Amino acid sequence: HSDIAMMLSSLGQVYRHLSDYFQAIDYHDTSLAIFKQIYGDQPHLDIANNLNNLGHLYQALDNYPKAINYLNASLAMFKQIY
């Protein structure tokens, strides 16, 4: 359900602020998977935002290749939406 995915994303944000980046990634990954089940291949803000959050988390971990991949995927989806 989308409410569960949104709550998982919110928990990810809290763990990000606590600098527990691996736990934050776990929550955002789970949230992203649920949103992809709900929306499929259709671009959606919830998916784009989760991709963006994951990109910033990987950046915080100095994993720049992964950060770039997630941020580019987020940007592409935002462009499709807008």
Side-chain angles (χ1 to χ4, degrees), residues 6-75:
M6 191 62 67
M7 289 305 303
L8 291 167
S9 182
S10 295
L11 283 165
Q13 290 296 84
V14 171
Y15 280 100
R16 177 182 175 191
H17 290 290
L18 293 172
S19 299
D20 189 346
Y21 301 122
F22 293 107
Q23 187 66 51
I25 287 169
D26 286 342
Y27 278 110
H28 282 293
D29 276 338
T30 305
S31 174
L32 181 61
I34 293 170
F35 281 132
K36 284 184 174 183
Q37 279 183 325
I38 293 168
Y39 303 116
D41 292 334
Q42 297 299 314
H44 195 277
L45 286 175
D46 292 330
I47 294 172
N49 283 324
N50 264 281
L51 293 168
N52 183 56
N53 290 334
L54 285 162
H56 287 288
L57 287 163
Y58 282 108
Q59 179 183 8
L61 291 170
D62 296 330
N63 188 337
Y64 298 111
K66 242 182 177 173
I68 289 168
N69 285 338
Y70 276 105
L71 292 170
N72 278 329
S74 176
L75 176 61

